[in-house]
Structures are given as structure tokens and as C-alpha cells.
Amino acid sequence: MSKDRSDHLYLLIKSMKKSEKRYFKVRNKGLSKDESKYLLLFDALAEQEEFDEVQIIENNSWVNPVQFSNLKAHLYKKLLQSLKEYTASTNEDITIREQIDYIQILFDRSLYQQSMQLLQKVKKAMHKSDNLELQLEVLKWEKNLLPFTLGRNNQQRVNQIVEEANKINERISRVNILTNLSVELNAIYLRTGYIRGREDKQRIQRIFDEQLPAWNVRDFSVRERLLWYEIQLSYYSFIQEFDEVYHYARQWVDLFSNVPSSAYYLEMYIKGLNQLLNAQSRLMKYDEFMQTHKKLRELSKHRVISVNDNLQIRLFKYSYAHQFNGYFMLGEFAKGVKLLERIETRLESYIGMLDKHSELVLFYKIACLYFGNGNYRKALKWLNRIINSEDQDIREDVHSFARIINLITHYELGNRDVIEYYIRSTYRFLLKKDDLHAFQQYILEFLKNLSHEITPNQLIDRFKELREKLLVLSQSKYDKRAFVYFDIISWLESKIEDEPVSTIIQKKSLSQMEH
């Protein structure tokens, strides 16, 4: 096992819960002295606060440096086997795969009747699963066993198996088309975010027209419908048609009459709630938003969540992101900052487990919360984590707007001496990313002109002038995306009316909810 793989072993052990570690040790107790060495290695790695392989080799006499690589590989394999057994009760697919392995073992021993009996049990269990690939694998074994389990209804069985296999292959073909399209759209979104202009819109439309057949969705299984809704949501999110996003997200969530018990469908349910919350926050459906957010948070008690780190991280990410969104909707930035300070330590530990895209969006939301509350230095801290990131090809739109808010934050702090430098730097970045549009040009020009000495009345006039320009842009099909990232109009109005931006947003939100 290479040094990198050694690090993987350490990370795997650190990811285990106490109950999983206990299960592993109980499962492997009573071994001989030589066999128990991998348990000693397990304990040594579990005790380390930071990974240090050299320390383990030097401080433990039972370690043979020549055999150490094999010992690590053996421990890694044993851990995966133990975790597979431990999680089997909450993951139906793992159990079914194991049963299929048993079918092969019995088949290879010519125990065809036993193999067929087990296969029939597996087929019954498959009714709870929508894993098409596993269903096809079971049918393959049924075909293999046919010559050895002949009966009076053999032709009827053959016809039934062929019909089932054709239907599953047809569904697999549809799922592949849908997942391929979903992956392609997601890759575009992760790079650029919302569409920036007519060219982006035509590109997305062309992908849809060329790759999405004219299917009757009523013929789809639940799994296929979920993928279909996910693609429709991607399209309408791209073009910022949030009424349509809400429509499809509502249908997605309504597919589940009860909270799912399988890991796959529970993950899809969580993703659906996330999409619905995004739409509700954009459309200012506050009461609905709070009800949906409550449903999301209650999932933390679900038994599958307790043993699935992937779902735990996803739930943590969505729960807090939407709690922040609720504060944005009402302009309650002080509450948001108070929550941040309470969960800061826990938040940092989770950040390391997030994917780069989720990390970037979280940093941006936190920066905007601090900005809205007037904590400009803390806002800069989180903006700099975006600006100084090496992953500038992920969500170029967020990188662009982080730089715009960075400029405005320096203006609020009175850092006039650095604003000109940051304007030039931001210009270069936006040109490089092909994201220098009317909104950005207006802001940059506005801030550039503020470096000259002007009277307070002249400053108010300039705020008003910029506000009028931006109000026109906010109604534009392509330029309106800028206002999804940052409510700059409310910030300008706070300057014009000499009130905190939180007060301006609170007035607007109350007015919107009354209508």
C-alpha cells in the first residue's frame, strides 16, 4: 500500500463511529498473536490525532517494516468487510449482491435446486429495490439455471424471463440517457453557474433538443421520474425560471407519500427538498419554506442517516444553507451571524468533508451574512477564502461576484487606497472568465469614480443613478442573474435612505409576503 493509500487507511478509520469500531473489534477477537497484528495497527492509527506512519513503525516492536505494507493492506480489506456487514441491514443493495454471490457459489457446486431456491428469495426481495442493474443480474442467473431446473411450464418461464429482461434493458437505456444528460448539465453548471447570455441559453437548449427524446413520462418508474424532474429543474434553474423550478420540485417531493427507508431514495428525497427550498426562497414563499425546512431538519432522526456519513453531510449542508437563506429572505442577518458563531467549530470540521462546489457556495453565503450585518472584516475573511482558492474553474460566477462584493466591502471599510488596485484585478479576472457584463461594468465604473472627492449630496445622487440603471437590468432576461447572488439594490437604497440594509430588506420582505 503506497503512502497515499496509507493515508486512505487512516481516514477510513477516523470516519468510523464508535459502534462501527466496536463491531470490527468484536468480529475479529480471539485471533492468534500474528493474526492480531492488524488489530494492534488499528488501535495505533485510531489513537493518532494526526497521521504519522513513521511514528507507528518506530514506537511499536510488533511492527516488521518489511511486512508493514501487507499489514496495512490486510487491515484495509478487513475494515471494508466489517463495514459491509455492519451497514447491510440499512442497504438493501449490499444484501442482494451478497445473495447473488451465494447463488454463484451454489451453482459452481452443481447445487442447482438450492441455487434456484435462493434466487427466488432474491427476486422477492428485489421488489423493494429499483436497482435495474441488480435486477438484470438476477435474470442472468435465472437464465443460467433454466437448463438445470426444467419443468412443465419451461417455455412460459423462458418467455417471461425474456420479456422482463427486455423491459429492464429498455429502462436501463432511458436511465442512461437521463443520467448522461444530467451529468453534462451539472458539469456546465459547476463551471459557469446560471446562464450569462443568449449564447449560453442556446447551448443549453441545443443539448436538450438533441439528447432528450419525446417520451411519455407517465410510463416512467419512480426512479426515472426523479431523474426526469432533476433534468427539468436543471434547465429551468439555468435560465432562472423559478416558477417552473418550483413546479417540478413540488412534483419531485410529492412522489414520496412517506419518508423513504432505502439510502438511495432517502438521498433523492433530501435532494428534492433542497430544490423545493431553493425555489421557495427565490419566490419568497416564506411560510411554505419554513414548513419544508422543518421536514428537512427532522430527517436527522432517521435511522439510515445515523449510519450513512454521505447523507449526514448532505443533510448538514442543506439544513444550514437553508437556515441562512431564511435569514436572507427576512433580512435577519444578526440572527444568522449569531448562529454562525455558535456552530463555527462544528462548521469548520464539516467544511473539510464537503466537495469544492458546496464549500465555495457556503463561503459565499457566510460572507454575505456578515456583510448584511455590517461585519465587513469578517465578510472579507470569507470572501478571501473564495478569491484565494485554487479552484477558480468551479462556479466562475460565484468567483466573479465574490470579487464584486469584495470591492464593495472595501468601500464600506473606507479602504479607498486599495480600491483602485482591486478594480484593476477584478477587471482582469472578469475578462479572463468572459464575465464582464453590464452589471459588473456599472459597479466597477461607479466605484472607480468614487475615488474622487465628492460632496455627500453628490454621493447620494450617484447612488440613485446606479440604482436606476440596475433596476432596468433586474428585468432583463440575462442580466437578472446578478441579483440572485447579491441584493445590491437594497444596499444602494440603504445608502440613499441612510438605514441599515437589513431594515430595507425586512420592509421589502414584509411587503412581498403581504401580497
Side-chain angles (χ1 to χ4, degrees):
M1 187 180 280
S2 67
K3 185 177 185 300
D4 184 48
R5 289 290 302 279
S6 297
D7 185 48
H8 287 180
L9 173 61
Y10 175 77
L11 292 173
L12 177 61
I13 292 170
K14 288 299 181 182
S15 75
M16 293 171 70
K17 300 177 182 64
K18 286 183 180 179
S19 58
E20 292 169 336
K21 291 176 181 177
R22 185 167 58 250
Y23 180 84
F24 172 73
K25 297 191 79 170
V26 169
R27 181 183 183 272
N28 292 280
K29 69 179 180 180
L31 300 172
S32 67
K33 186 177 179 182
D34 284 341
E35 287 176 321
S36 65
K37 283 184 179 179
Y38 69 83
L39 284 177
L40 295 172
L41 177 58
F42 172 81
D43 289 334
L45 286 168
E47 289 169 6
Q48 285 193 331
E49 292 298 324
E50 291 185 12
F51 176 60
D52 189 341
E53 183 176 301
V54 174
Q55 185 187 65
I56 291 174
I57 294 172
E58 291 178 349
N59 294 355
N60 294 284
S61 59
W62 48 266
V63 174
N64 181 341
V66 177
Q67 297 178 344
F68 194 55
S69 180
N70 289 336
L71 183 63
K72 289 182 293 182
H74 188 54
L75 174 58
Y76 194 81
K77 182 180 177 182
K78 286 285 187 181
L79 285 170
L80 291 177
Q81 288 173 344
S82 176
L83 289 169
K84 176 185 172 184
E85 289 178 9
Y86 186 84
T87 58
S89 62
T90 57
N91 192 319
E92 293 160 358
D93 288 353
I94 288 177
T95 304
I96 291 168
R97 285 192 192 97
E98 187 175 52
Q99 296 295 310
I100 291 171
D101 290 341
Y102 295 157
I103 290 169
Q104 177 158 10
I105 291 168
L106 292 169
F107 182 89
D108 291 344
R109 290 176 173 270
S110 301
L111 298 171
Y112 306 123
Q113 288 298 332
Q114 292 183 44
S115 187
M116 178 56 84
Q117 285 174 3
L118 183 54
L119 185 138
Q120 293 305 321
K121 289 180 182 178
V122 171
K123 283 195 77 172
K124 286 182 182 178
M126 287 297 296
H127 289 304
K128 298 178 183 178
S129 172
D130 199 27
N131 188 317
L132 298 174
E133 290 75 18
L134 281 180
Q135 289 181 25
L136 205 59
E137 180 75 5
V138 168
L139 282 173
K140 183 199 82 173
W141 276 107
E142 195 164 8
K143 290 176 190 176
N144 290 345
L145 283 162
L146 265 174
F148 306 100
T149 55
L150 295 174
R152 284 180 298 177
N153 299 322
N154 197 56
Q155 187 58 51
Q156 186 179 342
R157 284 174 61 199
V158 170
N159 293 341
Q160 185 179 346
I161 292 168
V162 170
E163 184 181 353
E164 285 181 33
N166 287 338
K167 284 182 179 178
I168 292 171
N169 277 319
E170 184 182 339
R171 286 182 60 195
I172 288 174
S173 176
R174 283 202 298 261
V175 167
N176 280 333
I177 290 170
L178 291 168
T179 51
N180 288 346
L181 181 53
S182 179
V183 167
E184 187 171 354
L185 290 172
N186 191 51
I188 296 170
Y189 180 72
L190 287 178
R191 185 174 180 87
T192 61
Y194 299 113
I195 58 169
R196 298 166 295 183
R198 189 181 303 278
E199 188 177 326
D200 283 353
K201 170 74 184 327
Q202 289 173 344
R203 179 187 179 192
I204 299 300
Q205 190 66 55
R206 188 164 56 249
I207 291 171
F208 262 75
D209 293 343
E210 291 175 359
Q211 297 188 34
L212 201 58
W215 286 318
N216 186 346
V217 182
R218 285 176 294 185
D219 297 333
F220 283 11
S221 66
V222 172
R223 185 182 180 188
E224 291 164 273
R225 282 183 185 233
L226 288 170
L227 291 168
W228 174 266
Y229 293 149
E230 191 169 24
I231 287 168
Q232 299 301 320
L233 279 164
S234 295
Y235 173 75
Y236 288 110
S237 293
F238 265 123
I239 63 175
Q240 300 148 73
E241 294 289 346
F242 294 113
D243 284 317
E244 291 297 324
V245 173
Y246 175 77
H247 168 72
Y248 282 106
R250 183 84 268 170
Q251 286 191 299
W252 180 335
V253 172
D254 287 348
L255 273 179
F256 301 96
S257 54
N258 297 300
V259 177
S261 57
S262 75
Y264 171 76
Y265 282 112
L266 183 56
E267 181 172 8
M268 292 304 287
Y269 180 60
I270 291 170
K271 287 171 72 175
L273 289 174
N274 172 58
Q275 293 285 8
L276 184 57
L277 284 162
N278 282 331
Q280 288 167 339
S281 65
R282 297 297 180 203
L283 299 172
M284 287 301 291
K285 295 179 180 287
Y286 185 75
D287 290 338
E288 279 190 34
F289 174 89
M290 293 304 293
Q291 290 171 9
T292 308
H293 191 241
K294 184 182 177 185
K295 285 183 183 178
L296 183 73
R297 297 200 65 145
E298 285 175 348
L299 292 176
S300 62
K301 304 167 189 172
H302 197 287
R303 66 180 185 87
V304 175
I305 298 287
S306 66
V307 296
N308 190 313
D309 285 348
N310 172 49
L311 293 182
Q312 278 185 29
I313 293 166
R314 188 180 289 276
L315 190 60
F316 175 87
K317 175 177 71 176
Y318 291 157
S319 293
Y320 282 107
H322 289 299
Q323 193 155 354
F324 296 155
N325 285 343
Y327 296 138
F328 285 129
M329 290 168 77
L330 298 184
E332 294 179 333
F333 300 108
K335 285 186 179 179
V337 166
K338 190 175 180 181
L339 172 66
L340 276 172
E341 290 170 349
R342 194 171 75 242
I343 66 167
E344 189 169 4
T345 303
R346 187 178 174 211
L347 187 67
E348 284 292 349
S349 67
Y350 265 93
I351 283 172
M353 292 185 275
L354 294 176
D355 59 273
K356 291 298 180 184
H357 171 242
S358 299
E359 186 181 281
L360 191 71
V361 172
L362 181 64
F363 291 170
Y364 189 82
K365 285 183 183 293
I366 292 172
C368 288
L369 271 178
Y370 278 123
F371 181 94
N373 198 48
N375 302 76
Y376 300 117
R377 295 199 182 280
K378 285 201 171 182
L380 278 182
K381 169 191 163 185
W382 290 93
L383 290 169
N384 283 332
R385 290 180 77 165
I386 299 172
I387 293 166
N388 297 329
S389 166
E390 295 178 359
D391 302 297
Q392 294 185 359
D393 288 336
I394 298 175
R395 287 300 297 271
E396 293 173 351
D397 55 333
V398 173
H399 279 282
S400 297
F401 284 94
R403 283 161 171 77
I404 294 292
I405 299 176
N406 182 61
L407 279 169
I408 296 171
T409 305
H410 279 293
Y411 166 77
E412 287 283 21
L413 287 168
N415 298 337
R416 303 297 175 86
D417 53 328
V418 299
I419 283 179
E420 195 168 334
Y421 163 77
Y422 280 117
I423 287 173
R424 289 197 302 271
S425 172
T426 303
Y427 258 121
R428 286 195 300 270
F429 181 86
L430 295 174
L431 284 170
K432 179 184 174 184
K433 297 298 181 183
D434 192 25
D435 201 14
L436 186 57
H437 300 279
F439 176 91
Q440 291 93 325
Q441 288 177 327
Y442 286 157
I443 304 298
L444 291 172
E445 195 63 32
F446 169 78
L447 290 170
K448 185 179 179 183
N449 290 335
L450 287 186
S451 59
H452 305 296
E453 289 297 326
I454 55 175
T455 66
N457 286 338
Q458 288 174 323
L459 181 59
I460 295 297
D461 287 340
R462 291 192 184 180
F463 281 130
K464 289 179 179 178
E465 183 184 339
L466 178 59
R467 178 182 177 275
E468 292 307 310
K469 288 180 179 179
L470 295 180
L471 281 172
V472 174
L473 282 186
S474 69
Q475 302 304 311
S476 162
K477 182 186 292 187
Y478 301 118
D479 291 306
K480 67 181 181 181
R481 76 182 180 113
F483 305 92
V484 172
Y485 302 100
F486 178 57
D487 188 358
I488 191 167
I489 290 175
S490 291
W491 176 74
L492 289 168
E493 289 170 352
S494 76
K495 296 300 174 189
I496 294 166
E497 298 175 24
D498 194 25
E499 289 186 328
V501 68
S502 57
T503 303
I504 300 294
I505 293 174
Q506 285 165 18
K507 289 178 182 177
K508 287 183 179 181
S509 63
L510 284 172
S511 175
Q512 284 179 285
M513 285 188 282
E514 285 171 2
H515 292 89

